[in-house]
Amino acid sequence: MTEMLLRPLPAFVHIALLLLFALSACAAPPEPTATPTATLTPTATLTPLPSATPTPAPLPTVARDAAERAVFRLFHAAPELPPVDIYMEGSAIAFGLSYGEFSSPLPLGEGEYTLRILPRRANPSQTEPLVRESVRVRIGETLLYILRPEGTALRVLRYPQDMRTMALGTARVAAINALLGNVALSVFLDEEIAIGAAQSGGQSTAAREVIARRYTARFLRDDRVLLAAPLTLNSRDSAFLILYGTSEAPRLATLILPTPRESKLRVLHADANVARVDLYLDERLVLEGLSFGTLAEPLNLAVRTYRMRIMPYGAALDSRPLFEGTLPVGEDRQLLLAIYSQRTQFGRQVRTALFNEPLDPPPPGSARLSILNFARQATAVQALNPSVPISEPVPYAALSAPITLSAGRHQLAFNTVERDQPPRTAETAEVNLEAGWNYIYVVLSSLNTPTLLFGTDVQTLFAALPTPTLSNPLSVRLVNAAAEPISVDLIVGETPLFTAVKENSGTAPRLIDSAMRPVRLVRSQSGEVLAEQTLFYAPNSSLVFVLIGRQGAWQLLQSQERTRPSRNSAVLRVIHAAPDAEPISVESPLSASRSTFFGNRPTATPRSAQYFVRLEYGQISSLITLRGNTYTFIARSAIDGTPLAELRDVEIATGLRYDLLLVRGDSGAPRDLRLVLIKAE
């Protein structure tokens, strides 16, 4: 660790500092954050302030895939240290970071970086840093560094956050003791759940998995409660609880992040004309020797798009594949990949079909059944129970909509529909359906193949999830940031929640009354499905869905809003929604044309700037709070600092949420970009 020793200042330096402060007070309005009464100063020399706020320098480009990069944050926990500027490898990543604030998340590639912390507005090329630290980064890490004093020195301490995937209904908690001095802490959730002990300043507890729900976090010193605060943990949250300040005036900061979600994949060999096969995902053999009529055990897959290759059984990886393509895996899905073949002018070709297994819980006392048709001799298959049709005809290589049936035994028949021929019964089956389960029945091309009926106990799967109440609501809204003109509907379960939402617009929030529902985004009027997801209920929170992309490459992003506007402030986030555009940094220098009033005392508008550093396409920034005022927003290239888009003199009103979109201009040129402000009300 690098230390910064505190030395008393000579008297002439105190006089010079007072003169400098007096001059700066005359020259510019005060900054929005209060200046602490005492200052930690590394040396007795004065550093001249730059005439303008420095522009962020570029950092090396990092991978777009979140699984192939790390994330860095810094938390300011030094009570008597004024706001600071943070630099990483010569690039500014935060300006004016104040006591009790986190820096914005910074994506980094693997390597070793130099972290420097400087006094606010200090010239980085002429000023000795308060702290200089080497930061070692490995792919996949989520790193929190905490700036705090230890005796007469400033230190930054490293805390890797455990972001491994978790089961539905659980969350992970660790506590960090960042109090001044060596104050021993014991940390509990409610009265009985012990998180652990942090015996001295800077220590942290091990992470513990708990049920996702609402708690009271309690920090004890010698069996005396130093601080107690409400804490809501949503399903699959990873939380750092940071107690900082002094034992006489402790403060709590929380860093709560959603962990990466997994999905399950079943693979079905559905064609007697295809021999045994091996399945590779991203060069890794995941299934070997899959034969016709076989349904493989579920695979757990991280959320991303995989390179998929289907090879003849035992064939070398560098030989010619039977099929090659991509496998997109979304969040919290149960996917079914079917392998079959089609006759073409080049002979019989292997094909795949990917289905989302229905996960919407059935009504009490009932089950749901879907029919998957791979009967090659049939144009379509229709299910009967026992002689009454219970489904519409299901085309070949298609999955029917779920059919709700009472739990118990059912005698099913399957009629094949072959073009102009009359229907005939091709197969019968007796099935036993359990309450709370969703099933898929597979009709294959050979009647000698054993019946394939498989299911998921969705009632148990989601039993651990909290359910909404009047005191624990969930609100949802939609932002349409599409890169081309399109009007969309958002359907939650079977209910159209939002309809006819045009591009570059958003909706007001609406309350949700279900713990878990499938979500579909469809093109208005035509009903074409653009994206599908699963909505998970999170108590006392707000969820925003964001549509980005263009035809053939739509993405539906999902982001929780944990910061709420107040009567004294608004909240704003930035969404990079311009495909193929370079990474950006966004600054919002405040207009000096107005004053902000608090009570009866006018306060001059500060001239500081807020920064969103290095946002890439498809990323949503963290939320910031803004005072009601007139603002100008500027988006700059994070590569060379060139201004790319500007939105001038927009009114921000307190009590509201705002989304600032970076979208494509009309010409389609690489740097023809616009900023669009959306108000949620």
Side-chain angles (χ1 to χ4, degrees), residues 186-487:
S186 298
V187 185
F188 291 82
L189 296 185
D190 293 341
E191 298 286 341
E192 70 282 357
I193 303 176
I195 299 302
Q199 297 299 328
S200 61
Q203 286 193 353
S204 63
T205 69
R208 174 170 178 177
E209 292 193 6
V210 297
I211 299 298
R213 63 176 176 85
R214 193 175 181 87
Y215 294 94
T216 297
R218 302 169 68 246
F219 297 82
L220 279 68
R221 178 186 185 185
D222 299 329
D223 296 328
R224 180 175 64 88
V225 177
L226 280 184
L227 184 142
L231 173 69
T232 298
L233 296 174
N234 297 321
S235 183
R236 291 175 169 166
D237 274 351
S238 176
F240 267 150
L241 310 181
I242 307 164
L243 197 68
Y244 66 105
T246 65
S247 57
E248 293 76 23
R251 297 186 181 186
L252 176 63
T254 59
L255 179 61
I256 304 178
L257 303 175
T259 58
R261 294 175 174 175
E262 286 186 334
S263 288
K264 293 185 181 296
L265 174 72
R266 307 186 211 246
V267 182
L268 168 68
H269 191 314
D271 199 323
N273 294 306
V274 178
R276 298 172 71 186
V277 296
D278 296 338
L279 174 65
Y280 285 84
L281 296 179
D282 288 350
E283 318 300 325
R284 184 169 66 94
L285 178 64
V286 295
L287 286 175
E288 185 176 13
L290 194 67
S291 59
F292 170 61
T294 302
L295 181 71
E297 289 296 316
L299 301 170
N300 292 326
L301 295 179
V303 176
R304 66 173 186 269
T305 298
Y306 295 83
R307 181 189 179 193
M308 174 175 60
R309 282 188 286 178
I310 298 173
M311 309 290 293
Y313 172 53
L317 182 58
D318 57 359
S319 60
R320 183 177 180 180
L322 299 172
F323 177 86
E324 186 170 13
T326 59
L327 177 68
V329 176
E331 295 182 345
D332 292 307
R333 307 282 183 85
Q334 290 208 171
L335 302 171
L336 175 63
L337 178 70
I339 300 172
Y340 66 106
S341 68
Q342 281 184 334
R343 189 179 299 279
T344 69
Q345 60 179 334
F346 305 107
R348 188 168 292 279
Q349 303 288 321
V350 171
R351 296 286 185 263
T352 63
L354 185 64
F355 305 98
N356 283 294
E357 295 184 24
L359 291 179
D360 203 16
S366 62
R368 285 200 171 98
L369 178 71
S370 300
I371 310 301
L372 181 59
N373 175 19
F374 275 102
R376 180 168 298 284
Q377 71 272 24
T379 306
V381 164
Q382 187 173 36
L384 300 90
N385 183 23
S387 59
V388 178
I390 58 173
S391 76
E392 295 295 324
V394 184
Y396 180 72
L399 181 68
S400 76
I403 307 158
T404 301
L405 299 171
S406 60
R409 292 189 175 277
H410 293 266
Q411 187 71 36
L412 302 181
F414 297 93
N415 277 3
T416 59
V417 182
E418 302 181 38
R419 296 181 175 83
D420 299 330
Q421 302 299 315
R424 64 183 182 87
T425 300
E427 186 169 339
T428 60
E430 184 177 282
V431 296
N432 184 29
L433 306 180
E434 294 188 41
W437 283 63
N438 286 356
Y439 294 90
I440 294 179
Y441 188 96
V442 185
V443 182
L444 291 169
S445 58
S446 171
L447 299 184
N448 296 322
T449 303
T451 296
L452 280 176
L453 177 71
F454 59 93
T456 300
D457 185 357
V458 292
Q459 182 171 282
T460 301
L461 183 63
F462 300 110
L465 290 176
T467 54
T469 65
L470 291 177
S471 61
N472 293 296
L474 168 68
S475 67
V476 173
R477 62 190 185 92
L478 172 65
V479 174
N480 183 349
E484 59 188 46
I486 187 172
S487 183

Side-chain angles (χ1 to χ4, degrees), residues 120-243:
R120 188 177 192 181
R121 293 184 176 176
N123 190 318
S125 62
Q126 301 177 11
T127 307
E128 182 68 22
L130 304 175
V131 175
R132 184 193 302 269
E133 184 75 17
S134 178
V135 176
R136 176 64 184 167
V137 174
R138 290 187 291 269
I139 295 301
E141 287 185 319
T142 298
L143 299 175
L144 173 65
Y145 275 65
I146 294 183
L147 173 66
R148 65 183 297 272
E150 290 188 6
T152 58
L154 275 178
R155 292 181 182 271
V156 284
L157 302 180
R158 173 190 177 105
Y159 302 92
Q161 192 159 0
D162 189 346
M163 298 298 291
R164 291 173 297 170
T165 57
M166 288 178 282
L168 273 174
T170 61
R172 184 180 294 123
V173 184
I176 299 173
N177 180 357
L179 290 173
L180 295 185
N182 291 315
V183 180
L185 289 179
S186 298
V187 185
F188 291 82
L189 296 185
D190 293 341
E191 298 286 341
E192 70 282 357
I193 303 176
I195 299 302
Q199 297 299 328
S200 61
Q203 286 193 353
S204 63
T205 69
R208 174 170 178 177
E209 292 193 6
V210 297
I211 299 298
R213 63 176 176 85
R214 193 175 181 87
Y215 294 94
T216 297
R218 302 169 68 246
F219 297 82
L220 279 68
R221 178 186 185 185
D222 299 329
D223 296 328
R224 180 175 64 88
V225 177
L226 280 184
L227 184 142
L231 173 69
T232 298
L233 296 174
N234 297 321
S235 183
R236 291 175 169 166
D237 274 351
S238 176
F240 267 150
L241 310 181
I242 307 164
L243 197 68

